[in-house]
Amino acid sequence: MENLMLIVNRTAGRGKCGQLWPLAKDLLHSLGVNYEVSFTEGKGDATKLAAEALNSGITRIVSMGGDGTLHEVVNGIGIRPEVTLGVIPAGSGNDFVRSLGMAPGDWKVACELIARGNTMPVDIGQVSERLYANVSGVGFDAAVANCANEWGKIHFRGSAAYMAALLRTLKEFSPTEVTIELDDRTIQGSSWLVAVANAQFFGGGMWVAPEASMQDGLFDICILGELSKAGFLKAFPSVFSGKHLKHPAIHLFRSRKVRITTKSDYLVQADGEIVGSTPIEYQLHPSALQVYCKPHNKPPQSKQ
């Protein structure tokens, strides 16, 4: 097996990745995986390291950290169907691996999948100039992600950071008028958020797009429309089970391209990282990368 580049963010998950790294290193060696390793030292390093690996001829690149580290690695790789991406979950949310049928703490399973070498092609989303593997959101969820990154993750671990940020953001957030242009229709109305999903989960386990596939060439667009704050709080817990799609204020569409404009500026997040504000445009790149996965990988089943 040819060498691969392992990009490790030891600060991910408030240092959890640094604690797991020696264990993962030993496991990979025991599984016979040959690799080079580079450690990130700051924001943007994972993007640079991934690009440098490609330039040196390495086409198997593994991200060890959280979804933010993965986001940087994907942007360092670009749209490269011949490149194989691996993900060892060691961050706060670890949402991307959930769509691969893994639990967020399955770092051992992730190492074993790399050793086995089974892969599948996956789509990659693009919002403005940024690529993303998982879910991008416009509005409330981006405001929550911003709060979680700047405040929540300093005080809480895992999903608790997002929950605390959500409650804090809810006090100040107000929905605005939104226009969403899809391939075959235009939607207008007041909206709390618009999730443009390539994969299924975001926000530390929220199953926002339970029917999304990373192999169908389409985004799943989940729109949360007119709802009071009290109604939002009542409906919110259902997002963890995927039952929120039954709510009359929530609508799901599919499209390859999306353009979103808003009356008041909304922040935009991708893979939990703030990437800009409205107006914003999306496009999907089918089969843009290979990803290590379980044999005959199937999407997550209902948690009921």
Side-chain angles (χ1 to χ4, degrees):
M1 183 180 288
E2 68 182 40
N3 282 352
L4 62 79
M5 173 60 72
L6 183 57
I7 298 173
V8 181
N9 178 5
R10 289 173 289 188
T11 65
R14 293 179 63 190
K16 179 175 72 173
C17 184
Q19 297 171 2
L20 290 178
W21 162 239
L23 303 176
K25 176 175 65 174
D26 290 345
L27 179 56
L28 289 168
H29 280 307
S30 71
L31 292 169
V33 178
N34 297 315
Y35 63 87
E36 300 176 32
V37 61
S38 293
F39 299 103
T40 65
E41 299 294 338
K43 192 172 182 64
D45 283 359
T47 296
K48 297 175 184 177
L49 292 170
E52 290 171 357
L54 289 179
N55 289 336
S56 68
I58 296 175
T59 58
R60 298 166 63 234
I61 300 175
V62 175
S63 169
M64 182 171 179
D67 290 321
T69 309
L70 172 64
H71 177 79
E72 290 192 5
V73 169
V74 166
N75 278 276
I77 295 172
I79 307 304
R80 300 285 292 269
E82 76 279 11
V83 173
T84 300
L85 172 69
V87 184
I88 300 176
S92 298
N94 303 316
D95 284 310
F96 181 74
V97 298
R98 299 174 198 258
S99 294
L100 296 176
M102 293 162 52
D106 277 351
W107 64 270
K108 292 182 181 179
V109 173
C111 292
E112 292 166 357
L113 294 180
I114 293 166
R116 291 177 187 173
N118 187 73
T119 67
M120 69 176 186
V122 296
D123 305 335
I124 293 293
Q126 181 175 345
V127 51
S128 188
E129 301 301 317
R130 299 292 294 180
L131 302 177
Y132 68 98
N134 200 34
V135 178
S136 175
V138 177
F140 182 75
D141 69 306
V144 171
N146 190 47
C147 182
N149 290 339
E150 295 187 355
W151 172 77
K153 292 180 182 179
I154 297 173
H155 302 283
F156 303 93
R157 286 186 178 274
S159 298
Y162 293 94
M163 288 300 299
L166 183 146
L167 294 173
R168 187 169 182 171
T169 304
L170 186 61
K171 295 179 181 179
E172 302 175 353
F173 189 88
S174 296
T176 191
E177 291 296 313
V178 176
T179 299
I180 306 161
E181 299 173 57
L182 306 178
D183 291 342
D184 60 352
R185 71 188 73 192
T186 297
I187 302 152
Q188 294 179 304
S190 178
S191 176
W192 281 75
L193 68 89
V194 182
V196 184
N198 180 43
Q200 298 185 6
F201 295 87
F202 76 160
M206 299 179 198
W207 205 3
V208 66
E211 300 174 3
S213 167
M214 293 186 285
Q215 296 183 292
D216 65 357
L218 295 169
F219 288 120
D220 274 34
I221 299 99
C222 182
I223 304 168
L224 175 55
E226 288 277 5
L227 206 60
S228 67
K229 289 190 177 183
F232 177 91
L233 281 173
K234 184 178 180 180
F236 174 73
S238 64
V239 74
F240 287 94
S241 64
K243 295 179 181 179
H244 61 291
L245 295 183
K246 298 178 181 179
H247 195 285
I250 296 175
H251 309 281
L252 181 68
F253 301 92
R254 291 193 171 92
S255 183
R256 184 166 178 176
K257 292 185 178 181
V258 185
R259 186 173 189 272
I260 301 173
T261 55
T262 57
K263 185 176 181 180
S264 301
D265 287 349
Y266 265 174
L267 286 177
V268 179
Q269 65 84 16
D271 297 335
E273 301 296 309
I274 301 302
V275 296
S277 60
T278 52
I280 203 80
E281 294 188 7
Y282 293 83
Q283 62 177 311
L284 194 70
H285 300 279
S287 301
L289 292 173
Q290 297 287 323
V291 171
Y292 287 110
C293 65
K294 296 179 179 179
H296 310 296
N297 184 74
K298 295 181 180 179
Q301 300 300 305
S302 173
K303 301 176 185 177
Q304 298 178 21

